[in-house]
């Protein structure tokens, strides 16, 4: 003979026929808390937390990815500049300076991108916005310099600044447009295929416009 029991902090007793009905009545009125719809981001660079994380103690909690990989992001950045995201059946923290948000509001298109899992990229990353060569977005009094990156630059690893989140990561050979003059710390404000941030002048070399 089987006997169902109910375990409470201060007693154990046999279940009665009324108990399941009472439990159903109590839970019927409960509603789940709505969760915000995730935003879509795309990886701009390859990232292996085990080898590249600036936080070795928490690298296991970070999400690995490759360029072009679609990542679902939940909520806002934390104080350390990380999102919480999901991709490829894995979840973890995502460094915000290695990804870019995909500007899509259409639900069907968003679902299609999530199913696809990737957006094609070239060697210099993904272009989500117009190139700076369309100078309509640059004030007329700002001097634009065309530069080429001499070395790879990862702000998380190489930046001398505390606020590396304001900087732009790039790879050797990337074409970067420096907007305005160099600041006292030796940084330009640069544009790389629509992504903008501070770039170190000693990693760049002027490139003729012709």
């Amino acid at each position: 003979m089987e006997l169902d029991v109910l375990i409470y902090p201060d007693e154990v007793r046999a279940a009665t026929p009324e108990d399941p009905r009472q439990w159903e009545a109590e839970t019927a009125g409960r509603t789940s808390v709505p969760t915000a719809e995730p935003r879509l981001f795309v990886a701009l660079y390859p990232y292996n937390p085990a080898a590249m994380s600036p936080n070795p103690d928490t690298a296991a909690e970070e999400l690995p990815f490759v360029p072009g990989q679609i990542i679902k992001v939940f909520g806002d950045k934390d104080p350390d500049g990380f999102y919480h995201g999901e991709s490829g059946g894995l979840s973890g923290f995502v460094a915000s300076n290695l990804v870019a948000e995909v500007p899509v509001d259409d639900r069907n298109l968003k679902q299609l991108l999530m199913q696809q899992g990737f957006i094609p990229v070239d060697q210099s990353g993904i272009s989500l916005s117009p190139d700076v060569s369309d100078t309509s977005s640059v004030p007329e009094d700002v001097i634009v310099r065309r530069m080429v990156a001499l070395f790879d630059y990862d702000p998380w690893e190489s930046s001398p600044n505390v606020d590396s989140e304001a900087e732009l990561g790039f790879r050797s050979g990337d074409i970067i447009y420096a907007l305005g003059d160099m600041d006292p710390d030796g940084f330009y404000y640069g544009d790389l295929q629509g992504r903008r941030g501070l770039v170190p002048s000693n990693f760049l070399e002027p490139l003729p416009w012709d």
Side-chain angles (χ1 to χ4, degrees), residues 37-50:
E37 188 170 337
R39 292 180 290 161
L40 293 192
F41 282 67
V42 61
L44 301 174
Y45 303 98
Y47 187 64
N48 177 5

Side-chain angles (χ1 to χ4, degrees), residues 145-168:
R145 297 175 174 84
R146 189 168 180 248
M147 317 286 276
V148 61
L150 300 175
F151 314 100
D152 293 354
Y153 183 68
D154 181 353
W156 286 98
E157 294 183 356
S158 307
S159 176
N161 301 315
V162 176
D163 188 14
S164 60
E165 189 179 318
E167 298 176 28
L168 190 64

Side-chain angles (χ1 to χ4, degrees), residues 124-160:
S124 59
I126 182 168
S127 178
L128 295 177
S129 55
D131 192 277
V132 76
S133 56
D134 177 9
T135 55
S136 61
S137 63
V138 180
E140 293 182 4
D141 59 343
V142 171
I143 298 174
V144 180
R145 297 175 174 84
R146 189 168 180 248
M147 317 286 276
V148 61
L150 300 175
F151 314 100
D152 293 354
Y153 183 68
D154 181 353
W156 286 98
E157 294 183 356
S158 307
S159 176

Side-chain angles (χ1 to χ4, degrees), residues 22-203:
Q22 182 178 354
W23 181 84
E24 290 176 1
E26 290 176 353
T27 58
R30 297 177 187 172
T31 57
S32 59
V33 178
T35 56
E37 188 170 337
R39 292 180 290 161
L40 293 192
F41 282 67
V42 61
L44 301 174
Y45 303 98
Y47 187 64
N48 177 5
M52 302 169 65
S53 175
N55 308 305
D57 294 339
T58 58
E61 300 175 13
E62 297 177 30
L63 189 67
F65 45 78
V66 296
Q69 187 170 335
I70 294 293
I71 301 170
K72 289 192 293 184
V73 164
F74 302 87
D76 298 321
K77 270 187 304 192
D78 67 19
D80 295 322
F82 282 80
Y83 293 109
H84 184 74
E86 289 183 0
S87 184
L90 302 175
S91 65
F93 293 107
V94 179
S96 60
N97 63 330
L98 301 180
V99 298
E101 186 165 6
V102 181
V104 55
D105 295 322
D106 184 87
R107 281 177 171 268
N108 292 331
L109 179 56
K110 183 178 286 189
Q111 187 65 31
L112 181 62
L113 287 172
M114 285 192 290
Q115 291 175 352
Q116 181 174 302
F118 281 84
I119 293 179
V121 295
D122 57 29
Q123 290 184 346
S124 59
I126 182 168
S127 178
L128 295 177
S129 55
D131 192 277
V132 76
S133 56
D134 177 9
T135 55
S136 61
S137 63
V138 180
E140 293 182 4
D141 59 343
V142 171
I143 298 174
V144 180
R145 297 175 174 84
R146 189 168 180 248
M147 317 286 276
V148 61
L150 300 175
F151 314 100
D152 293 354
Y153 183 68
D154 181 353
W156 286 98
E157 294 183 356
S158 307
S159 176
N161 301 315
V162 176
D163 188 14
S164 60
E165 189 179 318
E167 298 176 28
L168 190 64
F170 52 81
R171 296 180 182 179
S172 174
D174 281 349
I175 305 300
I176 298 171
Y177 297 89
L179 311 179
D181 297 323
M182 185 171 60
D183 70 18
D185 295 322
F187 281 74
Y188 287 108
Y189 185 68
D191 182 298
L192 173 58
Q193 293 191 330
R195 296 187 297 115
R196 294 186 178 183
L198 296 174
V199 290
S201 60
N202 59 335
F203 278 65

